[in-house]
Structure formats: C-alpha cells, structure tokens
Amino acid sequence: MPEPGEKKGGAQFERGLNVLGSIIAPATLLGALLFYFGYVSSRAQYDYFGLDVDVIGLSTQDYVMRSPQPLLVPLLVFALVGAALIAWHAQIRRRSSRAGFAAAVRRGVVVGLVILGVGVVLLLAYPILAGWGYYPLVTPLVLALGGAIAAYCLGAVRFLARTAGASHRPPTGVVVLLWAAVAACVFWATATVAQWSGLGLAQQQARRPDNLPSVIVDTEERLFLPDEARVNETLLPASADETFRFRYWGLRLLIVGGDRMFLIPNAWDNHNTTLVLPLDGSVRLQFQFRNLEP
C-alpha cells in the first residue's frame, strides 16, 4: 500500500496538473481565436489586391498581431452588452418573487423561440438571400438573440421549479445546447466583422496608397509591367560594374512575406496588378523619405 506521504504528494501533483490545465487551456483557446480572426481579416484584406494570403507566407505570430484591429469593435460591444445584461439580470432577480413573474418568464421563452425560428428561416433562405450584403451579420445576430432569450428564460423556469419543489423542469441539455448555439452564432458574427474590417482596411490602402512606403526598384531584367499600372520605367546607363539595367518608381510596399515583397502602384484601380519580387540579389531597393517636415 502507498504511504501517506505518497498519497499526499500524488494529490498535490494532481492539483498542480489541474491548475496548470486551467491556465494553459484558456490561453491556448485565446491564441487560437486571435489567430483565426487575424487570418480572416488578412485574407479579406489581401484578396482585394488579388493575393491569396497563404501565398504571402505570414506566420502564426503575424496573424495574432493583426487580430486586435478587427476585434476592437466586437470586444467593445461585448463589454457594453455584458454590463447591461448583468444590470438587467440583477433587476430580474429582485422581481422574481413578485406575482406574475413565472408567467412573464414563460412568455419570454415563447418570444425567444419565435426569434430563433426567424433566424432559422434566414439560415434556410441562404440560396435566396446570399446576395444581401448584411446577411452574414444579421442572420447570426438574430439566431444569437433568440437563442439567448430562450436559454435564459428556460434557466429561469428551472430555477422557479426547483424553488417550488416541482419535479417537472426543462431539461438541462436543452439550455446548454441553446447557449452553445449562441456562442457559435457570436463566433460567426465576429468572423464577419473581422472580414469586413480587413476589406475596409484594403479599400483605405487603395484610396490612400501614399500612406504605404514608397519604393524604387532596380532590376537586371525588364519587368514588362502593364500600361495600366502607370509605373515609371527608366533604362539605367550601361556600365561594366553595373548589373542592374532598369529602374522603376511609383511603387508602394504593400507587405513583406517570407523572402518576397508585394508592391502596388501609386494609383490603384481594379485594372492594376500586384507586383511580387524576391528579396535577393536580383533586385535593388531604395525606400524614399516621406514628405513630412522633420
């Protein structure tokens, strides 16, 4: 038989593992969420310039660092809504002993289920409403609202039944699954906001490319850029010591990924292309100062 000291040590070790798991699991989940929303936002942003974000070669850390920008508005909304719901819940608890409270809670269940039904109809109507721009945001919000009202009111019904000693109560599994559906819908809505945020950032960069670093590129071979790019090309003087023959300016650095850089013209429209150049000895770069007084 194990000694008492061994039992005590084993119990302490088990408690340590539980504490460690309670710390690591939320941190891992948070990191995964930050990565996902950063990826969704970046994918929408660079897709506007004709790039697949997977081609750029951003790292996990890059996506995590890009996640605060699309998550700022959702986090502020969640904080404000959460504060309002806490205050509302406190008011409801104070009125739970009043006459007619149980009937009001049951009506709340019906209202929540009706809103949830509307959300389900929107979900099934995707082939018809897919072209509606606000569909990916309205649908999950309607589903989340209906599910939250129904789950909260069903939880209140369970509380009243337990207080009254009644044996007939709504199943716990129904309440849990409704809250799980609410969480999934909130995740869907947040991903939509992240996608819109990335697209909006791309459109802002396209309208004001002068906010991006200006680059002069020297190459050994001609790039044969399309005329629509409106990038200036100059033939450099021939020299025995000079391997670079062509100079291009009027370009802006969009992003650097891995061993490549992605450039766009000064004036962007939907006929332009994104130039991809390697960061090696085949090109020479010059970054221009911004036109701001020191």
Side-chain angles (χ1 to χ4, degrees), residues 69 78 102 260-261:
Q69 190 266 340
F78 293 156
R260 291 171 297 177
M261 58 181 177

Side-chain angles (χ1 to χ4, degrees), residues 100-123:
F101 179 77
V105 167
R106 293 188 179 90
R107 287 195 296 269
V109 174
V110 175
V111 171
L113 292 177
V114 169
I115 297 175
L116 187 61
V118 173
V120 172
V121 171
L122 288 173
L123 192 63

Side-chain angles (χ1 to χ4, degrees), residues 85 88 104-116 141-157 178-179 182:
L85 291 177
W88 182 55
V105 167
R106 293 188 179 90
R107 287 195 296 269
V109 174
V110 175
V111 171
L113 292 177
V114 169
I115 297 175
L116 187 61
L141 289 180
V142 172
L143 287 169
L145 177 62
I149 293 175
Y152 181 84
C153 292
L154 283 174
V157 171
L178 281 174
W179 282 121
V182 170

Side-chain angles (χ1 to χ4, degrees), residues 227-292:
D227 296 335
E228 294 83 357
R230 288 172 285 180
V231 175
N232 298 309
E233 177 187 277
T234 299
L235 181 64
L236 297 176
S239 172
D241 299 329
E242 182 62 68
T243 59
F244 297 100
R245 299 297 311 278
F246 298 91
R247 172 164 294 176
Y248 298 89
W249 70 93
L251 292 166
R252 298 282 174 171
L253 178 62
L254 179 63
I255 189 174
V256 174
D259 57 352
R260 291 171 297 177
M261 58 181 177
F262 300 82
L263 308 173
I264 62 173
N266 271 335
W268 175 267
D269 58 44
N270 58 356
H271 299 293
N272 290 146
T273 58
T274 300
L275 178 63
V276 184
L277 292 178
L279 286 173
D280 54 21
S282 63
V283 296
R284 181 172 60 191
L285 304 177
Q286 300 178 57
F287 291 90
Q288 294 180 285
F289 288 110
R290 295 185 182 271
N291 295 326
L292 297 175

Side-chain angles (χ1 to χ4, degrees), residues 34-244:
L34 292 177
F35 168 82
Y36 175 76
F37 292 123
Y39 178 84
V40 170
S41 176
S42 300
R43 187 174 189 85
Q45 177 183 355
Y46 296 110
D47 180 71
Y48 182 84
F49 295 101
L51 293 173
D52 188 331
V53 71
D54 296 327
V55 174
I56 298 175
L58 297 177
S59 65
T60 300
Q61 183 179 1
D62 292 329
Y63 290 121
V64 171
M65 294 296 292
R66 292 168 178 269
S67 61
Q69 190 266 340
L71 289 179
L72 179 60
V73 173
L75 289 177
L76 288 174
V77 172
F78 293 156
L80 294 175
V81 171
L85 291 177
I86 291 173
W88 182 55
H89 176 69
Q91 291 289 335
I92 291 176
R93 290 295 297 269
R94 282 195 290 268
R95 299 178 182 181
S96 59
S97 59
R98 296 184 180 180
F101 179 77
V105 167
R106 293 188 179 90
R107 287 195 296 269
V109 174
V110 175
V111 171
L113 292 177
V114 169
I115 297 175
L116 187 61
V118 173
V120 172
V121 171
L122 288 173
L123 192 63
L124 297 177
Y126 174 78
I128 302 174
L129 301 176
W132 182 32
Y134 293 100
Y135 178 87
L137 183 64
V138 172
T139 302
L141 289 180
V142 172
L143 287 169
L145 177 62
I149 293 175
Y152 181 84
C153 292
L154 283 174
V157 171
R158 284 182 54 83
F159 172 77
L160 293 174
R162 185 170 60 251
T163 303
S167 59
H168 181 69
R169 304 171 190 174
T172 305
V174 174
V175 179
V176 172
L177 289 176
L178 281 174
W179 282 121
V182 170
C185 291
V186 170
F187 185 89
W188 179 6
T190 305
T192 299
V193 173
Q195 183 179 7
W196 289 356
S197 175
L199 178 59
L201 180 59
Q203 291 173 327
Q204 182 182 13
Q205 290 176 326
R207 287 193 300 267
R208 296 293 305 275
D210 53 321
N211 291 328
L212 298 172
S214 179
V215 184
I216 298 175
V217 179
D218 295 342
T219 62
E220 299 175 358
E221 304 291 340
R222 189 176 183 184
L223 296 179
F224 294 99
L225 297 177
D227 296 335
E228 294 83 357
R230 288 172 285 180
V231 175
N232 298 309
E233 177 187 277
T234 299
L235 181 64
L236 297 176
S239 172
D241 299 329
E242 182 62 68
T243 59
F244 297 100

Side-chain angles (χ1 to χ4, degrees), residues 8 10-20:
K8 183 177 179 180
Q12 290 178 346
F13 180 73
E14 185 176 351
R15 284 197 298 269
L17 288 179
N18 291 333
V19 172
L20 185 63

